[in-house]
């Protein structure tokens, strides 16, 4: 009987976000049945210096990462020949320069904003609506706001 090689996958998520904890749960469930050993890196409390040291010592078979805001991480991802799955919008800086497999998983942020507007409308008669953006006005927040406002405008609100 052939022995299945256990793969080590580095998972880099911001565990302060509930969404990322949910993602980790799904990855963990998959890992149990596919002979993966997970190396978890919580990006919430990592500094650029700690991250550089950790990446230099890492010998993973692949990476699953939540974003690429860190310059050190982005540079590492450009150099590695290991497969990467990235949660978030497609990063053209990585796509054009990497030769190893790279996949992006993203939600339709615009549609999430539209859904939120429809949900609020289904609750009853409101005279006004508001959207509170993320303090950094990131891609997700901006796209959700556009979807929210567009949906309300389309319905005459």
């Amino acid at each position: 009987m052939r022995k299945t090689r256990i793969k080590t996958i580095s998972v880099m998520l911001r565990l302060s976000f509930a969404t990322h904890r949910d993602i980790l749960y799904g990855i963990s469930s998959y890992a149990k049945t596919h002979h993966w050993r997970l190396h978890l890196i919580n990006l919430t409390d990592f500094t650029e210096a700690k991250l550089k040291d950790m990446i230099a010592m890492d010998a993973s078979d692949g990476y699953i990462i939540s974003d690429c805001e860190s310059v050190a991480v982005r540079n590492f991802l450009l150099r590695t020949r290991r497969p990467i799955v990235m949660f978030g919008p497609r990063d053209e800086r990585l796509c054009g320069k990497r030769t190893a497999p790279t996949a992006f998983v993203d939600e339709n942020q615009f549609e999430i904003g539209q859904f939120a507007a429809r949900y609020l409308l289904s609750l009853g008669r409101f005279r006004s609506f508001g959207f509170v953006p993320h303090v950094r006005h990131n891609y997700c927040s901006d796209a959700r706001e556009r979807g929210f406002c567009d949906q309300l405008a389309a319905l005459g609100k």
Side-chain angles (χ1 to χ4, degrees), residues 90-106:
R90 185 176 176 84
D91 189 333
E92 294 303 326
R93 295 169 296 191
L94 291 176
C95 294
K97 297 177 183 175
R98 280 182 43 84
T99 56
T102 307
F104 292 91
V105 178
D106 195 12

Side-chain angles (χ1 to χ4, degrees), residues 12 48 51-58 60 63 68 70-84 93-102:
M12 302 178 197
E48 194 90 0
L51 207 48
K52 282 181 184 178
D53 292 342
M54 184 278 313
I55 288 172
M57 297 182 305
D58 193 31
S60 294
Y63 299 89
C68 195
S70 163
V71 173
V73 172
R74 188 179 313 111
N75 289 338
F76 169 75
L77 294 175
L78 283 169
R79 287 190 313 272
T80 186
R81 295 179 189 261
R82 306 282 193 229
I84 296 170
R93 295 169 296 191
L94 291 176
C95 294
K97 297 177 183 175
R98 280 182 43 84
T99 56
T102 307

Side-chain angles (χ1 to χ4, degrees), residues 41-69:
I41 300 139
N42 184 355
L43 293 176
T44 302
D45 53 11
F46 262 71
T47 63
E48 194 90 0
K50 286 181 185 177
L51 207 48
K52 282 181 184 178
D53 292 342
M54 184 278 313
I55 288 172
M57 297 182 305
D58 193 31
S60 294
D61 294 297
Y63 299 89
I64 299 173
I65 184 166
S66 64
D67 58 38
C68 195
E69 293 177 7

